[in-house]
Amino acid sequence: MDDQPIITKFTPKKPQGLIVVITGNGKGKTTSAMGMALRGCGHGLKTTIVQFMKGDLYSGEWDGVKMLEPLVKLYHTGKGFCGIEGNPYAHSEHRKNAQEAIQLITRILSADDCDTLILDEINNALQLKLVDLDQVKNIISSRPAHMHLVLTGRDAHPEIIELADTVSEVREIKHAYRKEIEPQPGIDF
Ligand code: ATP
Ligand code: MG
């Protein structure tokens, strides 16, 4: 039909890997990162996702990304949120798991086999001292120049915010849990 718009696709003159931080106390940080993985698929870009502190509670993206294979890979690591009521694991055990995740990330960086690397909940992991500031700064500085890095989670460290190119703070205006509405599949997990 001749009333259809002409579709153009922007190509950056200088492609470069960006550091994106999604932080804040509102809902939408992890799902925003998943959105970048989905969007990347449309460009044939490969995304690797490493989730910290996510081993105990099923979330839809674990299987959802399998529908985006082979472009998207997800590793969920850890034993749930450190320090949250009902989580029985000691800080030392959470730290050990997070340190294993850092080793995994180091291998991913040296293999240089993705265009976008999403480090989900790494901001919280840093705030909870499961990983060290120098380790996160080292990931940022040692990544291949073309690779985008997306760091999610509450309480992003000021030095990481300083190093980032794009930073968004998701602010809670309302959340259904405050009305004692249970988490709903697809929306909350
Ligand atoms: P999402 O994964 O939905 O994008 P998020 O990454 O911004 O959310 P997190 O702080 O990682 O938010 O929380 C994970 C999930 O738990 C979210 O889906 C959110 O709806 C839900 N949630 C956040 N805070 C609470 C809370 N205090 N009680 C219950 N559920 C919560
Ligand atoms: Mg999250």
Side-chain angles (χ1 to χ4, degrees), residues 125-144:
L126 176 54
Q127 209 260 341
L128 292 161
K129 300 193 181 348
L130 305 183
V131 302
D132 305 326
L133 178 59
D134 281 349
Q135 291 180 313
V136 184
K137 285 166 76 173
N138 188 48
I139 291 168
I140 291 173
S141 63
S142 68
R143 83 192 196 287

Side-chain angles (χ1 to χ4, degrees), residues 26-32 54 121 154 175 177 187-189:
K27 179 202 152 20
K29 300 172 292 295
T30 296
T31 46
S32 166
K54 287 197 174 163
E121 315 300 351
R154 294 167 186 221
H175 195 295
Y177 84 83
I187 300 295
D188 291 300
F189 65 92

Side-chain angles (χ1 to χ4, degrees), residues 48-117:
T48 299
I49 302 158
V50 178
Q51 297 187 314
F52 288 79
M53 293 184 285
K54 287 197 174 163
D56 62 337
L57 254 183
Y58 179 80
S59 198
E61 65 266 19
W62 295 0
D63 287 318
V65 298
K66 291 181 184 163
M67 296 169 201
L68 303 174
E69 275 177 356
L71 289 173
V72 184
K73 267 190 247 171
L74 183 149
Y75 302 90
H76 60 88
T77 75
K79 295 193 178 69
F81 200 77
C82 174
I84 204 172
E85 203 186 315
N87 186 289
Y89 303 100
H91 183 274
S92 56
E93 193 151 353
H94 285 291
R95 174 148 175 122
K96 182 173 162 279
N97 291 153
Q99 290 299 314
E100 286 161 4
I102 294 285
Q103 296 310 314
L104 170 64
I105 292 161
T106 306
R107 290 196 294 276
I108 292 166
L109 291 177
S110 38
D112 188 10
D113 72 344
C114 64
D115 301 290
T116 303
L117 177 59

